[in-house]
Amino acid sequence: MFILYKRMLFLLSGCFILLTILGTITHEYGHIAVAKCLGYQNTLHYASMEWSNDFKSDVLKTYDRYRFEIENNLPFKHKNEYVIKIKKINTDELFITLGGVLLTVFIGTAGFVILLFQYYKATNTTSFMKWGLIFLSLFWSREVFNFFKGIINGIFFNKGNYFWGDELKISNHLGCYEGTFSIISGSIGLCIISFLILKIVPLKYRLTFIFSGVLGSISGYIIWMIILGPMILP
Protein backbone atom coordinates (compact mmCIF):
# COMPACT_ATOMS: atom_id res chain seq x y z
CA MET A 1 0.00 0.00 0.00
CA PHE A 2 1.33 3.42 -0.99
CA ILE A 3 0.99 6.15 1.61
CA LEU A 4 2.34 9.65 2.04
CA TYR A 5 4.82 10.14 4.87
CA LYS A 6 4.27 13.71 6.03
CA ARG A 7 7.67 14.23 7.62
CA MET A 8 9.46 12.76 4.60
CA LEU A 9 7.25 14.82 2.28
CA PHE A 10 8.29 17.98 4.11
CA LEU A 11 12.01 17.11 4.08
CA LEU A 12 12.12 15.98 0.46
CA SER A 13 10.11 18.99 -0.71
CA GLY A 14 12.69 21.22 0.96
CA CYS A 15 15.45 19.34 -0.85
CA PHE A 16 13.68 19.81 -4.18
CA ILE A 17 13.34 23.54 -3.48
CA LEU A 18 17.08 23.76 -2.81
CA LEU A 19 17.81 21.63 -5.88
CA THR A 20 15.82 24.02 -8.06
CA ILE A 21 17.65 27.07 -6.74
CA LEU A 22 21.15 25.57 -6.61
CA GLY A 23 20.70 23.86 -9.96
CA THR A 24 19.79 27.16 -11.59
CA ILE A 25 22.71 29.10 -10.10
CA THR A 26 25.21 26.30 -10.74
CA HIS A 27 24.10 26.12 -14.36
CA GLU A 28 24.76 29.84 -14.82
CA TYR A 29 28.20 29.51 -13.23
CA GLY A 30 28.98 26.90 -15.86
CA HIS A 31 28.35 29.56 -18.49
CA ILE A 32 30.38 32.10 -16.55
CA ALA A 33 33.40 29.80 -16.13
CA VAL A 34 33.72 29.30 -19.88
CA ALA A 35 33.06 32.97 -20.65
CA LYS A 36 35.86 34.00 -18.28
CA CYS A 37 38.24 31.55 -19.91
CA LEU A 38 37.42 33.18 -23.26
CA GLY A 39 38.15 36.64 -21.90
CA TYR A 40 34.66 38.02 -21.33
CA GLN A 41 33.35 40.03 -18.39
CA ASN A 42 30.26 38.51 -16.80
CA THR A 43 27.18 39.58 -14.90
CA LEU A 44 25.17 36.95 -13.04
CA HIS A 45 21.38 37.27 -12.87
CA TYR A 46 18.94 35.00 -11.06
CA ALA A 47 18.26 32.86 -14.15
CA SER A 48 20.73 34.08 -16.75
CA MET A 49 24.13 35.68 -17.27
CA GLU A 50 25.53 38.37 -19.54
CA TRP A 51 28.93 38.22 -21.20
CA SER A 52 30.70 41.06 -22.94
CA ASN A 53 34.04 42.66 -23.77
CA ASP A 54 35.37 45.31 -26.13
CA PHE A 55 35.57 42.80 -29.00
CA LYS A 56 31.89 41.87 -28.70
CA SER A 57 30.92 45.53 -28.25
CA ASP A 58 32.69 46.46 -31.51
CA VAL A 59 30.81 43.71 -33.35
CA LEU A 60 27.48 44.93 -31.97
CA LYS A 61 28.29 48.51 -32.93
CA THR A 62 29.10 47.39 -36.47
CA TYR A 63 25.81 45.51 -36.62
CA ASP A 64 23.85 48.55 -35.41
CA ARG A 65 25.59 50.77 -37.95
CA TYR A 66 25.13 48.46 -40.94
CA ARG A 67 21.99 46.59 -39.85
CA PHE A 68 20.21 46.96 -43.22
CA GLU A 69 23.24 45.83 -45.23
CA ILE A 70 23.94 42.87 -42.93
CA GLU A 71 20.33 41.64 -42.84
CA ASN A 72 20.03 41.91 -46.63
CA ASN A 73 23.51 40.51 -47.37
CA LEU A 74 24.69 43.72 -49.05
CA PRO A 75 28.27 44.99 -49.19
CA PHE A 76 29.44 47.45 -46.54
CA LYS A 77 32.71 48.80 -45.19
CA HIS A 78 34.90 46.18 -43.47
CA LYS A 79 32.39 43.41 -44.25
CA ASN A 80 35.05 40.67 -44.40
CA GLU A 81 36.42 41.73 -41.03
CA TYR A 82 32.89 41.72 -39.57
CA VAL A 83 32.20 38.22 -40.92
CA ILE A 84 35.37 36.88 -39.28
CA LYS A 85 34.48 38.55 -35.98
CA ILE A 86 30.88 37.33 -35.99
CA LYS A 87 32.08 33.76 -36.58
CA LYS A 88 34.27 34.02 -33.48
CA ILE A 89 31.36 35.43 -31.45
CA ASN A 90 29.13 32.58 -32.58
CA THR A 91 31.79 30.00 -31.70
CA ASP A 92 32.31 31.58 -28.28
CA GLU A 93 28.56 31.62 -27.71
CA LEU A 94 28.40 27.89 -28.47
CA PHE A 95 31.14 27.13 -25.93
CA ILE A 96 29.56 29.40 -23.31
CA THR A 97 26.16 27.80 -23.82
CA LEU A 98 27.69 24.33 -23.60
CA GLY A 99 29.46 25.31 -20.37
CA GLY A 100 26.25 25.59 -18.39
CA VAL A 101 24.68 22.44 -19.80
CA LEU A 102 27.83 20.35 -19.41
CA LEU A 103 28.37 21.42 -15.80
CA THR A 104 24.79 20.49 -14.93
CA VAL A 105 25.09 17.17 -16.75
CA PHE A 106 28.51 16.47 -15.19
CA ILE A 107 27.18 16.94 -11.65
CA GLY A 108 24.18 14.75 -12.39
CA THR A 109 26.30 12.07 -14.04
CA ALA A 110 28.85 12.02 -11.21
CA GLY A 111 26.13 11.53 -8.62
CA PHE A 112 24.42 8.85 -10.68
CA VAL A 113 27.61 6.88 -11.41
CA ILE A 114 28.56 6.78 -7.72
CA LEU A 115 25.00 5.76 -6.87
CA LEU A 116 25.09 2.98 -9.48
CA PHE A 117 28.41 1.71 -8.14
CA GLN A 118 27.00 1.47 -4.65
CA TYR A 119 23.76 -0.09 -5.89
CA TYR A 120 25.34 -2.89 -7.93
CA LYS A 121 28.23 -3.50 -5.53
CA ALA A 122 25.85 -3.51 -2.57
CA THR A 123 28.16 -1.01 -0.89
CA ASN A 124 27.10 0.03 2.57
CA THR A 125 26.20 3.69 2.70
CA THR A 126 24.39 5.98 5.07
CA SER A 127 20.85 7.03 4.27
CA PHE A 128 22.00 10.67 4.19
CA MET A 129 24.67 9.92 1.58
CA LYS A 130 22.24 7.89 -0.51
CA TRP A 131 19.69 10.70 -0.63
CA GLY A 132 22.46 13.18 -1.34
CA LEU A 133 23.56 11.16 -4.37
CA ILE A 134 19.96 10.86 -5.53
CA PHE A 135 19.59 14.63 -5.53
CA LEU A 136 22.93 15.09 -7.28
CA SER A 137 21.69 12.68 -9.95
CA LEU A 138 18.56 14.79 -10.25
CA PHE A 139 20.60 17.60 -11.80
CA TRP A 140 19.64 15.70 -14.96
CA SER A 141 16.03 16.74 -14.31
CA ARG A 142 16.82 20.12 -15.87
CA GLU A 143 17.18 18.42 -19.25
CA VAL A 144 13.82 16.69 -18.81
CA PHE A 145 12.18 19.94 -17.71
CA ASN A 146 13.51 21.85 -20.73
CA PHE A 147 12.41 19.08 -23.09
CA PHE A 148 8.83 19.02 -21.84
CA LYS A 149 8.64 22.79 -21.43
CA GLY A 150 9.53 23.15 -25.10
CA ILE A 151 6.81 20.71 -26.11
CA ILE A 152 4.18 22.42 -23.92
CA ASN A 153 5.16 25.85 -25.24
CA GLY A 154 4.97 24.53 -28.79
CA ILE A 155 1.51 23.06 -28.31
CA PHE A 156 -0.16 25.87 -26.36
CA PHE A 157 1.79 29.06 -27.01
CA ASN A 158 4.08 28.82 -30.03
CA LYS A 159 2.82 26.21 -32.44
CA GLY A 160 5.50 24.79 -34.69
CA ASN A 161 8.40 25.35 -32.27
CA TYR A 162 8.64 22.48 -29.80
CA PHE A 163 12.15 23.01 -28.42
CA TRP A 164 13.55 25.56 -26.02
CA GLY A 165 16.51 26.79 -24.00
CA ASP A 166 20.24 26.14 -24.25
CA GLU A 167 19.60 22.77 -25.87
CA LEU A 168 17.88 24.48 -28.83
CA LYS A 169 20.74 27.00 -29.10
CA ILE A 170 23.34 24.23 -29.16
CA SER A 171 21.51 22.31 -31.89
CA ASN A 172 21.21 25.47 -33.99
CA HIS A 173 24.89 26.36 -33.51
CA LEU A 174 25.94 22.87 -34.59
CA GLY A 175 23.68 22.99 -37.64
CA CYS A 176 21.64 20.00 -36.47
CA TYR A 177 17.92 19.44 -36.41
CA GLU A 178 16.68 21.89 -33.78
CA GLY A 179 15.45 19.16 -31.46
CA THR A 180 18.58 17.00 -31.59
CA PHE A 181 20.18 18.04 -28.31
CA SER A 182 16.86 18.42 -26.50
CA ILE A 183 15.70 14.94 -27.45
CA ILE A 184 18.99 13.25 -26.60
CA SER A 185 19.56 14.99 -23.27
CA GLY A 186 15.89 14.83 -22.31
CA SER A 187 15.73 11.11 -23.03
CA ILE A 188 18.86 10.38 -20.99
CA GLY A 189 17.52 12.47 -18.12
CA LEU A 190 14.16 10.71 -18.24
CA CYS A 191 15.86 7.30 -18.11
CA ILE A 192 17.96 8.34 -15.11
CA ILE A 193 14.96 9.73 -13.21
CA SER A 194 12.93 6.61 -13.99
CA PHE A 195 15.75 4.40 -12.68
CA LEU A 196 16.00 6.47 -9.52
CA ILE A 197 12.29 6.17 -8.84
CA LEU A 198 11.92 2.49 -9.74
CA LYS A 199 15.20 1.10 -8.41
CA ILE A 200 16.85 3.43 -5.93
CA VAL A 201 14.11 5.18 -3.98
CA PRO A 202 12.70 2.76 -1.37
CA LEU A 203 9.30 1.41 -2.37
CA LYS A 204 7.50 2.75 0.68
CA TYR A 205 8.78 6.29 -0.03
CA ARG A 206 8.17 6.20 -3.78
CA LEU A 207 4.83 8.01 -3.80
CA THR A 208 6.10 10.53 -1.24
CA PHE A 209 9.18 11.16 -3.40
CA ILE A 210 7.08 11.82 -6.50
CA PHE A 211 4.68 14.15 -4.68
CA SER A 212 7.54 16.02 -3.02
CA GLY A 213 9.26 16.36 -6.40
CA VAL A 214 6.22 18.03 -7.92
CA LEU A 215 5.52 20.19 -4.86
CA GLY A 216 9.15 21.13 -4.21
CA SER A 217 10.02 21.88 -7.83
CA ILE A 218 7.00 24.15 -8.32
CA SER A 219 7.63 25.86 -4.99
CA GLY A 220 11.33 26.27 -5.78
CA TYR A 221 10.50 27.80 -9.15
CA ILE A 222 8.09 30.29 -7.59
CA ILE A 223 10.41 31.13 -4.69
CA TRP A 224 13.49 31.70 -6.85
CA MET A 225 12.21 32.77 -10.26
CA ILE A 226 9.40 35.02 -9.06
CA ILE A 227 10.09 36.07 -5.46
CA LEU A 228 13.69 35.85 -4.23
CA GLY A 229 15.72 35.63 -7.44
CA PRO A 230 14.70 39.01 -8.92
CA MET A 231 15.38 40.64 -5.54
CA ILE A 232 18.80 39.05 -4.89
CA LEU A 233 20.20 38.83 -8.43
CA PRO A 234 18.09 41.14 -10.65
Side-chain angles (χ1 to χ4, degrees):
M1 179 179 179
F2 292 101
I3 61 175
L4 287 174
Y5 294 86
K6 293 182 180 179
R7 183 172 180 273
M8 183 64 75
L9 179 67
F10 176 78
L11 291 174
L12 292 179
S13 295
C15 290
F16 273 104
I17 291 173
L18 289 176
L19 176 70
T20 303
I21 297 173
L22 292 177
T24 301
I25 296 175
T26 302
H27 179 84
E28 297 308 323
Y29 271 110
H31 294 313
I32 288 174
V34 176
K36 284 191 174 184
C37 289
L38 294 173
Y40 293 95
Q41 291 83 45
N42 306 276
T43 303
L44 174 65
H45 302 291
Y46 65 96
S48 63
M49 55 82 69
E50 296 178 8
W51 49 285
S52 62
N53 61 8
D54 292 339
F55 179 82
K56 185 179 180 182
S57 297
D58 289 341
V59 173
L60 293 176
K61 288 178 182 177
T62 301
Y63 177 80
D64 289 337
R65 183 176 181 181
Y66 299 104
R67 181 188 298 265
F68 179 82
E69 290 82 356
I70 292 171
E71 292 181 352
N72 292 278
N73 197 27
L74 299 174
F76 60 91
K77 189 176 181 180
H78 305 305
K79 180 177 181 178
N80 291 336
E81 182 180 346
Y82 172 80
V83 170
I84 293 172
K85 288 182 177 180
I86 203 67
K87 286 182 179 179
K88 178 180 177 358
I89 292 292
N90 288 335
T91 301
D92 289 349
E93 183 177 25
L94 170 60
F95 288 135
I96 293 170
T97 305
L98 274 169
V101 176
L102 291 180
L103 180 58
T104 300
V105 167
F106 173 79
I107 294 172
T109 302
F112 187 64
V113 168
I114 297 172
L115 198 59
L116 278 181
F117 177 80
Q118 294 183 339
Y119 175 78
Y120 284 110
K121 296 294 184 181
T123 305
N124 291 326
T125 183
T126 63
S127 179
F128 178 80
M129 181 181 294
K130 180 178 179 181
W131 283 109
L133 291 172
I134 287 174
F135 277 96
L136 283 181
S137 303
L138 284 173
F139 268 70
W140 269 100
S141 62
R142 181 189 180 278
E143 302 306 310
V144 178
F145 173 81
N146 279 3
F147 176 68
F148 283 107
K149 181 177 180 179
I151 292 176
I152 292 172
N153 282 343
I155 294 174
F156 295 104
F157 305 108
N158 187 16
K159 293 183 179 180
N161 185 7
Y162 298 97
F163 305 102
W164 178 84
D166 289 340
E167 293 74 20
L168 173 61
K169 294 178 183 178
I170 293 169
S171 295
N172 288 336
H173 274 295
L174 295 176
C176 305
Y177 167 62
E178 62 182 12
T180 300
F181 206 82
S182 296
I183 293 172
I184 293 173
S185 61
S187 298
I188 295 172
L190 190 59
C191 289
I192 289 175
I193 292 174
S194 299
F195 185 86
L196 293 175
I197 293 174
L198 298 176
K199 293 291 186 180
I200 302 297
V201 175
L203 179 61
K204 70 174 184 176
Y205 293 137
R206 201 165 288 169
L207 186 62
T208 304
F209 181 79
I210 294 172
F211 267 80
S212 64
V214 175
L215 178 62
S217 297
I218 293 175
S219 299
Y221 184 90
I222 294 172
I223 290 171
W224 184 249
M225 296 293 190
I226 299 176
I227 302 174
L228 289 182
M231 294 172 55
I232 299 174
L233 291 171

